[in-house]
Amino acid sequence: MNFALPAFFAALSIAGAVAALSLRNLVHCALALVLAFAGLGGLYVALGAQFAGLAQILVYSGAVAILIVFAVLLVRERDEEQRHPIRWGNSLSGIAVAVLVFIAIARILTSDSSLHRAAPAAPSATIRDIGTMMMGADILPLEIIGLLLTAAMLGAVILALRERNAVKS
Amino acid sequence: MTLDSLLLVSAALFAIGLAGALLRRNAILVLVGIELMLNAANLNFIAFWRFSAHPEAFTGVLFLLFSIAVAAAEAAVGLALIIAIHRHYKTANVDRIDRMKG
């Protein structure tokens, strides 16, 4: 498998993730998040999962990013909170936890030599095959996902509705 | 790209998301960190599918598609919760939402 393309997309998504969680302006964070999600989608395509990459770009870079931008527009922060967006007081412990988690996973991954292997020949993952599987063997999960998405949509609408006796702001 | 390098990328994404969820004050960015951790898990699905003995079975791809759908539902409900909390407390700062603190 060609090495350069997956490595480029992996670097893109990691850079986007770092930017999304470290920038000060929330809209910049959302844009960097689009970059991270698009990088992951490109990585999926480069690994031979074209449909998964397209779904990633449609759902994450499209829908979820737009949702986050709308939430950023609706949720306005006070100025004093914008000046201190990161909890530096307990930042050390937070960074330490994240670094420890990464080191723990990385040690496990590098200690197992069976994981250091090259990819087998790329499968011909056509969208037709995926559709056949979804409508055949995996029809029950598909229906449950439909139910879950409907329930989540109704729940989100009910949660975001104005409270009945809320004070008018 | 070998399997372990892909898994290392995924672990790095997970750690970045975890650090963001722990460090940021804004509830929206905490949710973004959680989404990044979910994406790291999704990358593992694709990596193990691509390097499995039978990639023609599409198990990892289908699992990823269902995982993306669940994550989308989670994002919608989470952001609705944040909007409701912001309306109630007039803040999205997770340090200030402490009414249930003893």
Side-chain angles (χ1 to χ4, degrees):
Chain A
M1 187 173 18
N2 187 9
F3 183 81
L5 207 57
F8 167 71
F9 282 124
L12 188 70
S13 59
I14 286 183
V18 170
L21 291 171
S22 59
L23 289 177
R24 185 155 294 203
N25 190 323
L26 284 181
V27 179
H28 296 170
C29 293
L31 292 177
L33 190 70
V34 171
L35 193 72
F37 287 156
L40 270 175
L43 184 56
Y44 296 162
V45 174
L47 288 173
Q50 283 88 359
F51 188 68
L54 287 179
Q56 165 86 13
I57 288 173
L58 267 178
V59 175
Y60 275 111
S61 309
V64 172
I66 293 289
L67 262 181
I68 286 172
V69 168
F70 268 110
V72 167
L73 293 180
L74 288 171
V75 176
R76 186 175 293 277
E77 280 302 297
R78 289 181 211 149
D79 289 341
E80 51 110 4
E81 279 160 14
Q82 283 225 317
R83 274 202 298 276
H84 308 286
I86 294 177
R87 279 181 285 196
W88 289 119
N90 26 4
S91 65
L92 215 62
S93 50
I95 289 174
V97 167
V99 169
L100 278 178
V101 166
F102 178 73
I103 289 173
I105 301 175
R107 269 188 67 92
I108 296 168
L109 292 178
T110 48
S111 66
D112 191 347
S113 58
S114 72
L115 290 176
H116 188 81
R117 58 171 188 252
S124 56
T126 63
I127 294 174
R128 177 192 293 269
D129 295 332
I130 292 172
T132 311
M133 281 198 74
M134 264 198 178
M135 285 295 149
D138 287 322
I139 188 75
L140 188 62
L142 190 70
E143 297 285 344
I144 293 172
I145 282 292
L147 196 65
L148 173 82
L149 285 174
T150 313
M153 192 177 69
L154 289 175
V157 169
I158 289 170
L159 278 174
L161 273 180
R162 189 168 285 276
E163 290 169 63
R164 201 166 291 164
N165 51 0
V167 184
K168 288 232 170 79
S169 54
Chain B
M1 235 180 167
T2 54
L3 177 56
D4 54 352
S5 58
L6 273 177
L7 296 180
L8 276 176
V9 169
S10 159
L13 270 179
F14 186 89
I16 292 166
L18 181 64
L22 288 174
L23 290 178
R24 294 304 296 242
R25 279 203 169 101
N26 192 303
I28 296 172
L29 284 167
V30 174
L31 198 75
V32 166
I34 293 169
E35 287 289 329
L36 278 173
M37 288 194 268
L38 257 165
N39 268 282
N42 287 349
L43 178 56
N44 274 5
F45 283 133
I46 286 294
F48 280 114
W49 162 75
R50 184 66 183 80
F51 289 82
S52 66
H54 299 285
E56 69 278 359
F58 300 125
T59 325
V61 176
L62 284 167
F63 220 113
L64 171 78
L65 292 175
F66 291 129
S67 169
I68 285 179
V70 173
E74 176 251 329
V77 175
L79 288 171
L81 268 175
I82 290 172
I83 289 171
I85 287 172
H86 179 259
R87 187 180 299 132
H88 196 84
Y89 289 98
K90 306 278 178 280
T91 181
N93 185 334
V94 289
D95 284 346
R96 286 172 180 274
I97 306 166
D98 55 359
R99 182 164 294 179
M100 287 177 78
K101 200 171 177 180

